[in-house]
Structures are given as C-alpha cells and as structure tokens.
Amino acid sequence: MNKILAKQQLSKEVFRMEIEAPEIAEARNPGQFIILQMGGDFGERIPLTIANADLEKGSITLIFQAVGETTHRLALLEPGDAIDNLLGPLGKPTDIKKYGKVVCVGGGIGVAPLFPIVEGMKKAGNEVTVIMGARTKDLLIMEEEMRATADDVIVVTDDGSYGRKALVTVPLKELCEEDKPDCVVIIGPPVMMKFAALTTKPYGIHTIVSLNTIMIDGTGMCGGCRVTIGGETKFVCVDGPEFDGHLVDWDNMLLRLGTYKSEEAEAHHRCHIGLHIKEGEA
Amino acid sequence: MHITKETLDAQAKELLEQLKDKTLSPRDRAQIPLQEMPTQAPEIRVGNMEEVALGYTDNQVRLEAMRCLQCKNQPCIAGCPVSIDIPAFIAEAAKGDYGKSVEIIKKSSLLPSICGRVCPQEAQCQKFCTVGKMNKDVEQSVSIGRIERYVADYAREHDLEKVPPIKPESGRKVAVVGSGPASISAAADLRREGHTVVMFEALHKAGGVLVYGIPEFRLPKKIVEHELQNLKDMGVEIRPNYLVGKTRKITDLMERDGFDSVFVGSGAGLPRFLGIEGENYVGVFSANEYLTRSNLMKAYAVGKAQTPLYQSEKVAVFGGGNVAMDAARTAKRLGAEEVVVVYRRTEVEMPARREEVNHAKEEGIKFLFLHTPLKITANEKGRVNGVELITCELGEPDASGRRRPVEISGTEKVYDFDTAIIAIGNDSNPLIKATTDGIEVNRRGNFIVNEETCKTTLKGVYAGGDIVLGAATVILAMGQGRKAAKAMNAYLKDLA
Ligand SMILES: Cc1cc2nc3c(=O)[nH]c(=O)nc-3n(C[C@H](O)[C@H](O)[C@H](O)COP(=O)(O)OP(=O)(O)OC[C@H]3O[C@@H](n4cnc5c(N)ncnc54)[C@H](O)[C@@H]3O)c2cc1C
Ligand SMILES: Cc1cc2nc3c(=O)[nH]c(=O)nc-3n(C[C@H](O)[C@H](O)[C@H](O)COP(=O)(O)OP(=O)(O)OC[C@H]3O[C@@H](n4cnc5c(N)ncnc54)[C@H](O)[C@@H]3O)c2cc1C
Ligand code: SF4
Ligand code: FES
C-alpha cells in the first residue's frame, strides 16, 4: 500500500500525484517507470513514468492522463487514499551524459516524463532546448517548470491557441537545419514520435524515443510489450523503454498498441457510466 | 464416456464391501480396478474455470490404497524426487487415518495438495510401481498422486495440519527472492530455525507460476493462498511489488538492510520465441502472456476484470508440454471455437503429462503432430490470419534422446488461424544476474550452484528451482528449496 500525499489537476484530463514510495524514490533514475495495480483481484496493471522523486519525503511524482478505466479510477483517488500495488523502478534509465546540444521534444502527456530528462541533461552540462506541443492550450502542462530548467523553450499547439501554430516536427526540423543538435530525445504519442524520429533521420542525429507499449508484469516475463528494433525483438519493459528512434518499427508498434481497441472501448464506456464522467470528457 | 462422481463412488463402495473382511494376496490387490479420477463432464467444464479433477471419494481412496502391495524394496520411493515414504502414507490412507498419512508426506514434501495435483507421477513414483509392472501398464500403477491429493485436501479442509514448531528467534535475517515453490519451501525451513524471513516477490500476488501460469482449472488458487497463509502464520513476511535487482540489489539487501543470507528462487520467467517471420503481429502471444492475463489478471471474468482479452476463433498453440496444454485449454474456455496444438514430434514424445493430454482431447482440443511453423501471416491491420506450417519426420535421436524432427521440404502449407500462442519454453530470468556481480551462470543463463548445498558463487547467496534447473517441475523446485535452506541454516549457525 502506497499513500497518496498530494494531488493536483494540471489540465482537464491530466493529474499530478505525489505518492509515498521511499525505496522507489531512492532507486529511480530519469527515464524509469512504475507499474501500479488497484481494485483487488480484477484490477489492471498499468505503467506510468516517474516524473520526479523527493528523497526527503520519500515520495515519487506521477503525471498521468485519464484515458481509460484504470487512469480514471486513479484520478478519483485523493490524498490520504492509498494505491494497493506499486512496483518500481522499472526499465533502464535514460543514457544521460554530456552530448553538447540536446533538444528534448515532448508531446501532450509526454512532457511529464520528459521533465526529469531535461533536468538530467542540463545537470550533465548540456545546452538544452525544449520543444513542447499539445493539441490546444488547455492541454499544455509543465510550461513553467520547463522554462525554469531549460535554456530555451518552444511551445506549439495544433490549433494555434497558444505559442506557435504547428506540429512539433516543424521547429524540430528548423533546429536540425540551423543549429544541429547532438542528441534529440522525443517522448509523446507514438505517431508524434514516429514523425519526429523521421525528421531527425536525414541529419543522422542520435535520437532517443521512449516507447509506451501495452504491458503486464514489467519484469520481462510475458513478452506482451515486445517491439521490433532494427529487425530484432526487444522487450520494452526491460530492454527499454528508451530506444534508438531510427531503428524502431513504428508501424508494427502502432498496430500492437491497438490490440485491444474494441475490448477497451467497451470497458471505457462502462467506466464512464460507473464513474459519472461525461462521454467526450476524456 | 464420462462417468459421474456418484457412479464411481457407488462402484467403489460396492467393491469395498465385498473385499472388506477378505485376506488379499498381492495378485488380488493388483487386480482391484484402478480408481478413476472423478471429473467435471467435458462439455460442462469447457464453459467454466473450475477444477476439472474433483478428487476421490472416501470409498475410492480406500480402495485405491488397497491396491498397494507394500513392497519391501519400495521402488516407488526411489522414483520420488524427494523420497516420500510412499508405502507408509498409503498404508495410513487405507486405514482411513488421513491426518497421520499427511504427516508422513510432510516429512519430505511441504506442498502435498499442490504436488498431488501437478506432479508428473507417471514419470516418477508411478513409473516404478510394482502394480503397474504386474499389469504391464504404467497407467495401471497405484494412483499415488491421487491418494496424496486426497489426504492433503482432507487435512486442509478438516484443519488437521499443525503449524510446525518454530525455534526461538535466532537474530539472523534471511531474504527469499521470489515466491514460487522453491521459495515457499526454503522460507518455511528457514523460519523453523527461528530466523527472520522476508520473501520478496515482483508481482502483486505471491505464488510464482502456481499463481500466474498454472490455470485455476488445474490448481485452484485458494490452495496456493492457503500455503502462503501457512507461511504468514509461521511469521514469514511476504513483500509483493518488490523487484530484487531494481527496487534494491542483492548486495544492498546484504550490506545495507542487514540480511545475513539470501535465497534466490526467481524462476524461469523469460519466454522463448520462435524467431520466425510475423511473430510480432497482433494476435501472437507467448503462453506466459496468455496465461498471465487469464490467471493472474483474471481476464476470464469478462465484465469484471479490467485486463482485456483477445477475442479468438481459431487458435494455434505451438509446443507440446504442460504449458502448451494449459494455454490450449484456457483458449477453449475463453471462447475459441477451434484450438489446435501444433507439435513437431509425435504424441509419444510429447513432454506434457498424460492426464493433461487426455483431458485436452476430451475437451475437443485438436492435435497436429509432426508439424512446425515457418511463418505467421496477417491481414492489412496487422492481425494474424494464418500460419504457414511444414511437415516433419522423425530422424536420428538428439541430445535429449528423443528423435529429432526433420522438415520435409515441399510440404509447406498455410492454415487459417486468428491467434497464435507460443509455448516452446522459458529461459531463466536474467535480471538478478545482470544486477549482481559475482553470481556465475552457465551458457543457458542458469545459476551455477553446488549440488549438495545449492550455494551460488557469491558468499551467502543460495539458489534453487527453475533459476538453477531451467524450466523444470514443482517438486524439483521444492526439493532444491529445502536443500538450500538446510545449507543456509548451517551457514547461519556458523556465522555466530
Ligand atoms: C513505459 C511507459 C510509461 C508511461 N508513462 C505514462 C505517463 O507518465 N503518463 C501517462 O499518462 N501515461 C503513461 N503511459 C501510458 C499509460 O500506461 C496508459 O495510458 C495506461 O495504461 C492506460 O490505462 P487505462 O486503463 O486508463 O486505459 P485503457 O482502457 O487501457 O486504454 C485507453 C486507451 O488508451 C490506449 N492505451 C492503452 N495502453 C496504452 C499505452 N501503454 N500507451 C498509449 N496508449 C495506450 C488504448 O488503446 C485505449 O485507446 C506510459 C506507458 C508506458 C509503457
Ligand atoms: C503454464 C505452466 C504449467 C506448468 N505445469 C507444471 C505441472 O503440471 N507440473 C509441474 O511439476 N511443473 C509444472 N510447471 C513448471 C513449474 O511450475 C515450475 O518448475 C516451478 O513453478 C518452478 O518454481 P520456482 O520456485 O523455481 O519459480 P517460479 O514458480 O517461476 O516463481 C518465481 C517467482 O519469482 C518472481 N521473481 C522473479 N525474479 C524476481 C526478482 N528479481 N525479484 C522478486 N521476485 C522475482 C517471479 O515473479 C515468480 O513469482 C509448469 C510451468 C508453467 C509455466
Ligand atoms: S511400488 Fe507401488 S505397490 Fe509397491 S509400495 Fe510403491 S506404491 Fe505400493
Ligand atoms: S511487460 Fe511483460 S515482458 Fe514486458
């Protein structure tokens, strides 16, 4: 049982939670994630990135978007409540070192897991530019933190309601042309990561992406999280979650993410009824 | 034809009456008909997850126990990996003293309810049984496992089990990694000596393969829970959600958290894939994933469970072991219309237990022997729509002594399937090795240990079960857990 210490709503669908987990807080490094499970025998196990850790309080911070049944249930918990099962830190840490110029690209909720990497890259002595994008202004998160940490922050929205009206790939390409980075880190929706990785490819820039496949155990036991990297099968939970973005078979990964589309749509519908969240709002 | 439990019991009762006061010669005993295990009718059980084998009745167990000749040379004991005093426990069962019978078993095996259900007896004790030899058929041997199961269930259900005495606190602390049968038995034997024992399990539920792999219809989870409760009652602390190597390294447990010794029972949890084209399409699963979704995550409870299931109509299962049988029978229960087990050798070489194969056949599982997959095909959405198989013939024996399957070129053919489950085995989990300096492993990634003590190459660290043996059996894992605990108890005593 891990107690929730604080909770904050960052945007309509996005929540930040601070959770008591002293051992995980101590062991974790940027890029790693946890798996949580709640609701007795029938709850699902879901992975979430550790967005931050506080050693003094012995806590970790999770930032998540309510997209389906489990994330909705999580969003309903309040400080003082507890999460039944929390396992971590999982996966390999980000390869943080001095590259020189680093561009960190975050899309939607991906901005949250990007933050500790931005911090780490900065600490390692890199010059860090952040490109962060969202569908619309209301969904933009953590701009302040990013501005306080990175050397430069470029904000884009799909609808132009804030910052530049563009996809993240547009400023990314400009940077590749004008001021070629030594390393690019991309975290966001799979389609965005695919196109951002394609953007850096012609320039031969070392590109790291963080893959968010479906998982169960997170320990390398089931192979459900497997992806094809440079023609080889890898398990995201133990070999990743970060991989060379130019080697990922994106199309296969996108298909695999859709494995349970129809089954989950049904469950999502059920949970809207159960949790009294209006259809259309998350 | 399926015979009901009531009928089987009535037949046993009648025969028992007839034999009651007679003196029986060994020949008479060997001719008592083998007591069949009552089961749920196949057409019913494919629609539920409940246990298939219902267990003997009192009349049946007594009659089956009467088939034992109490051989002087005790060939069955030699066939038992943990040398249970088989004739002695059967003699008590024949008398109806089930509590005493279990006590005899428990001297050698800590988990009789589980082993009675899942041990491959036909390849162990029953393989050597004199009654089988007299009848020239192993399947006619005394049903040692079924008797074991009966007496163990009886003791559990009637609260006849005694919490073993625990020595005064020794002041020593031991970590047990994993919670499968190797770890359960090691933890029990370590705790008895008065050590503080903490069991670390990565998953949110303890029990190892007994919980996430072997299905409910073969091993009810409440039995595993009962064994874990016994451990807790003895004072063992169970910590789920703790991945040793990630949450804390073994060396940290010893140097910072004050553990004097560590037992590693982390199992063989790394699924093997075939390495063929199309293996990552949507609808291809490792048996581990398929079974974990259903068993651990309870995805079979559609509507209740949040973990989704893949909807299948035609399922191909590759492999021929217990894991393949479990996956195939689970797929059937989850609603697949047709399930085909594809195995590259013939039925004779199949490593699965006889009983499981027979149960699978009764449930309508089909078998395609002497075939192996070359490629998996998919539709435009990347979802499996077929499997290309090639026919094999048996060639020269390989290292395992079984004849090697040889592909016959020109026999390739594509079959319609929408789901493929890969059940060709598991390798040992590499995580602990990768995060602990000083532990040596062999070519296959199994920990190298001293055969007598199960000690690894790292001081104070012992290991047993599948992490040492490769994917093996419950009874062997249990045996090693006990062997290691014995050596650890001696090591801890000498620490002083
Ligand atoms: C290593 C890793 C780190 C992650 N970190 C974060 C994080 O920090 N914050 C966060 O909000 N999310 C993160 N995710 C994604 C998160 O795990 C999923 O959103 C979550 O599992 C959805 O669960 P659910 O029951 O609420 O939704 P479900 O009902 O399971 O799914 C709802 C919808 O989301 C889609 N979906 C399901 N699983 C995923 C997935 N893994 N990735 C993307 N879409 C998915 C489904 O197809 C469906 O359309 C991470 C995923 C991985 C693998
Ligand atoms: C589907 C299936 C059916 C089977 N059927 C039979 C059968 O009928 N009869 C039979 O005798 N045998 C059968 N077996 C084999 C038998 O289950 C295994 O040999 C036995 O369970 C091995 O026991 P173990 O204690 O070594 O490990 P496991 O039971 O594998 O348990 C290991 C545990 O350790 C945990 N773990 C791993 N790494 C870590 C870590 N770093 N930190 C914390 N925890 C960790 C795992 O999560 C797991 O819970 C079957 C196996 C499978 C998969
Ligand atoms: S070999 Fe068979 S008949 Fe002989 S003692 Fe063992 S179980 Fe009984
Ligand atoms: S989540 Fe099961 S192996 Fe990665």
Side-chain angles (χ1 to χ4, degrees), chain A residues 23 26 41-43 45 73 85 88-89 91 220-222 224 226 228 233 252 255-256 258-260 263, chain B residues 204-205 239 241 246-247 256 269 271 279-282 284-286 288-289 293 297 306 309 311 381 383:
Chain A
E23 277 156 328
E26 194 192 316
D41 260 6
F42 300 104
R45 291 169 68 94
R73 287 180 194 276
N85 296 293
M221 179 270 279
C222 75
R226 70 194 188 278
T228 315
T233 293
N252 180 250
L255 290 169
R256 289 185 60 80
T259 303
Y260 299 101
E263 287 86 356
Chain B
H204 62 283
K205 258 192 216 165
R239 286 204 58 184
N241 307 308
K246 286 283 181 187
T247 310
R256 295 177 48 196
E279 207 162 18
N280 292 348
Y281 279 137
V282 178
V284 185
F285 302 91
S286 75
N288 278 7
E289 176 180 2
R293 279 182 182 273
M297 306 312 295
Q306 288 162 23
L309 273 178
Q311 295 305 324
K381 287 181 180 154
R383 294 188 169 234

Side-chain angles (χ1 to χ4, degrees), chain B residues 433 436-441 456-459:
Chain B
K433 158 68 189 153
T436 319
D437 288 333
I439 288 189
E440 279 171 35
V441 300
T456 69
T457 48
L458 188 64
K459 187 170 167 15

